[in-house]
Amino acid sequence: MSVTDVSDQPAEAPTTSPPPTQSTNRRSSDLSALLVRLHFYTGVLVAPFLLVAAVTGLLYTATPQLDQLFYGDKLTVAHAGATAKPLAEQVAAARAAHPDGSPMSVIVGDIDATTQVVFSMPELGEKQHTVYVDPYTAEVKGTLTTWWGSTPATTWLDDLHRNLHLGDLGRHYSEFAASWLWVLVLGGLALWWRRQRGANPKARRLLLPDLTAGKGVRRTRGWHAATGVWIAVGLLVLSATGLTWSRYAGGNFDNALTALDAHQPQLATALAGGAPPAGGGHHGGAGGGDSAVDPAAADTVLRIARDHGLAGPVEIGIPEDAASAWTVTQVDNTWPVHLDRATIDPVTSTVVARSNFADWPLLAQLSKLGVQAHMGRLFGIANQILLAALALGLLCVIVWGYRMWWQRRPTRADRRAIVGTPPARGAWQKLPAWAIAIGVPVVFAIGWVIPMFGIPLAAFLVIDVIISTARGQRDQPSPVSPAPANQ
């Protein structure tokens, strides 16, 4: 029997089961109204920021392919597998092609990758110049301005996604989006589950849209909700990982790691009895010519690192002076990751200190893996495809959300409107005292940790109370003066 047939059936005799109490129904109704209102306004106000984040993030997922397209002649070699030249010869070729600046690191990649010699340039700020050298011929393939290893194209797309090329001011947009994304996801899941649980608690109704619905808001809501369920876990991960290196919430997260002693371990670099730097150290020289550190020692450092199990692509950090050890860091971010590190003294051919990724604190490991997953590096091409699917899914959910708002608009001649009526305000004020007593401290704590969530929420509640109070006073009937008593 379909739902539409209910009205044609004879009325059944009243049952003896007691109906739910009015207080239970009222609490459930108040909570649902609060969820609807929160999800609605969050969606309307935050969705534009999420739309920008989804589009820019979708573009960023293609950076490995774009790098190969734009810079393939610099990043890779065609004759992989031959005998590589000594690093000293490769560094010398890079320094001859780039006499300015000081060499700060050498990145040794896979067998088909060029060797990257990175030069610090004070006038570039956080950026560097990277010279790409064919490891088998010591031929310089080109030079790029990089940002900690990222090519110009990747850097440009990273800045677009992170701050819209607006610097610190632009970072507010991405942090605002990440701060509210988890609220939208959890609120939407709660609303969809509450809507479906009474009719049919089967998972199919939660995971698939109702294709029997008409062409109106019910059908759109089905696609909006079902797609949201499928991408919910991925969006929560993106929200959490995005917040870990945001400006404000990320700062609080970093402080928490410091308090818990959960940062990745710092390696000792000081050498016992090391000679003082000559000529101001290689970072103080004009082009490294007067450096007390000879970059040619990179061959010795690399050999020692290989002997101690640091295989695969590595970055060799050149110390600032002869009193400091060299650092060797594995830079293979693809699962299973290889991120072990060591500091090495090439004079004594000894390992000064070592840190294995497996020994990092758990929070430091999860943070590192989360960042790599967020950037599409952890699982290679599969990670890129997953991120692209999440971005496209989020775009669809946003479009369907606005479409529902438009479909709910009044269409009568005397009540036409561009969009639907928003949910009634004041729902949170009707919650029971225990819910407010528990909820307020929890929300305050979250808002303190995630300021771009807490500050807008506080502003919304204040405005809501002011408007509700003003409308309540306006809607009250004017007092009627009592008639004078008969004398």
Side-chain angles (χ1 to χ4, degrees):
M1 179 181 66
S2 66
V3 176
T4 55
D5 297 330
V6 174
S7 59
D8 299 330
Q9 305 301 319
E12 296 179 358
T15 62
T16 58
S17 300
T21 62
Q22 292 184 356
S23 60
T24 301
N25 289 337
R26 184 175 64 252
R27 286 196 296 268
S28 177
S29 176
D30 292 341
L31 180 59
S32 295
L34 178 62
L35 286 174
V36 170
R37 181 168 171 78
L38 180 63
H39 190 71
F40 172 82
Y41 276 106
T42 303
V44 169
L45 299 177
V46 180
F49 298 89
L50 292 174
L51 187 70
V52 174
V55 171
T56 57
L58 181 61
L59 294 174
Y60 187 84
T61 60
T63 51
Q65 288 72 31
L66 292 175
D67 280 348
Q68 193 60 37
L69 177 64
F70 297 149
Y71 316 111
D73 59 329
K74 298 178 180 64
L75 299 175
T76 58
V77 295
H79 42 272
T83 302
K85 298 287 186 179
L87 280 182
E89 186 175 341
Q90 299 180 50
V91 172
R95 296 181 76 177
H98 194 285
D100 297 328
S102 302
M104 59 182 296
S105 65
V106 180
I107 301 174
V108 180
D110 291 321
I111 60 172
D112 62 343
T114 54
T115 299
Q116 302 177 28
V117 183
V118 183
F119 290 83
S120 63
M121 303 288 292
E123 63 269 24
L124 295 180
E126 289 187 344
K127 295 184 178 180
Q128 304 86 32
H129 276 172
T130 298
V131 179
Y132 300 86
V133 182
D134 188 324
Y136 307 107
T137 65
E139 176 189 358
V140 173
K141 308 294 288 186
T143 302
L144 293 174
T145 300
T146 57
W147 183 62
W148 303 113
S150 296
T151 65
T154 297
T155 301
W156 192 89
L157 288 173
D158 181 89
D159 283 341
L160 180 66
H161 178 64
R162 193 160 50 102
N163 58 35
L164 301 179
H165 294 282
L166 297 175
D168 288 339
L169 177 63
R171 293 183 66 183
H172 291 100
Y173 116 83
S174 56
E175 182 166 359
F176 180 69
S179 299
W180 282 91
L181 178 57
W182 64 274
V183 179
L184 270 173
V185 172
L186 295 180
L189 289 176
L191 286 174
W192 187 237
W193 179 76
R194 291 177 68 87
R195 178 179 290 275
Q196 298 298 328
R197 65 173 180 169
N200 190 339
K202 294 181 180 179
R204 183 179 181 279
R205 292 187 62 89
L206 294 173
L207 299 176
L208 297 176
D210 184 6
L211 300 179
T212 63
K215 297 182 179 181
V217 67
R218 285 186 56 205
R219 188 179 185 89
T220 306
R221 183 190 297 119
W223 284 102
H224 172 86
T227 304
V229 170
W230 278 100
I231 64 176
V233 174
L235 294 183
L236 290 175
V237 171
L238 289 179
S239 176
T241 54
L243 287 173
T244 57
W245 76 87
S246 61
R247 188 176 184 184
Y248 300 111
N252 290 331
F253 179 73
D254 186 72
N255 292 336
L257 291 182
T258 301
L260 297 172
D261 194 20
H263 282 290
Q264 67 182 53
Q266 298 296 316
L267 293 180
T269 59
L271 298 178
H282 86 272
H283 285 285
D290 297 329
S291 171
V293 177
D294 183 5
D299 284 295
T300 302
V301 172
L302 180 61
R303 175 182 57 79
I304 298 171
R306 297 302 193 202
D307 290 344
H308 285 79
L310 295 182
V314 294
E315 180 173 5
I316 303 172
I318 303 174
E320 295 187 359
D321 52 64
S324 301
W326 292 57
T327 60
V328 180
T329 305
Q330 290 181 313
V331 291
D332 186 357
N333 292 299
T334 305
W335 184 265
V337 298
H338 298 92
L339 302 172
D340 297 345
R341 299 174 299 146
T343 53
I344 295 173
D345 181 358
V347 176
T348 61
S349 297
T350 57
V351 174
V352 177
R354 175 158 181 163
S355 171
N356 294 331
F357 180 74
D359 299 329
W360 289 14
L362 179 60
L363 283 178
Q365 291 183 354
L366 293 177
S367 176
K368 182 66 173 181
L369 296 177
V371 168
Q372 299 308 318
H374 191 113
M375 299 178 70
R377 298 175 179 174
L378 188 58
F379 302 109
I381 187 66
N383 204 157
Q384 293 178 256
I385 295 174
L386 178 60
L387 287 178
L390 287 174
L392 291 172
L394 180 58
L395 289 173
C396 290
V397 168
I398 292 172
V399 171
W400 283 324
Y402 280 115
R403 177 173 172 77
M404 280 192 296
W405 191 23
W406 178 77
Q407 287 176 320
R408 290 179 56 252
R409 73 195 189 285
T411 56
R412 282 172 38 184
D414 58 337
R415 295 183 60 231
R416 290 188 182 277
I418 299 177
V419 292
T421 304
R425 62 173 46 87
W428 68 273
Q429 302 175 43
K430 301 176 183 178
L431 292 175
W434 65 265
I436 296 179
I438 296 176
V440 169
V442 170
V443 172
F444 180 82
I446 296 175
W448 182 267
V449 175
I450 310 176
M452 295 300 287
F453 163 76
I455 295 174
L457 179 62
F460 174 81
L461 292 177
V462 169
I463 294 173
D464 188 68
V465 170
I466 293 175
I467 294 178
S468 296
T469 302
R471 289 194 172 184
Q473 294 176 350
R474 185 187 63 188
D475 295 339
Q476 287 181 355
S478 301
V480 179
S481 301
N486 294 329
Q487 300 298 328

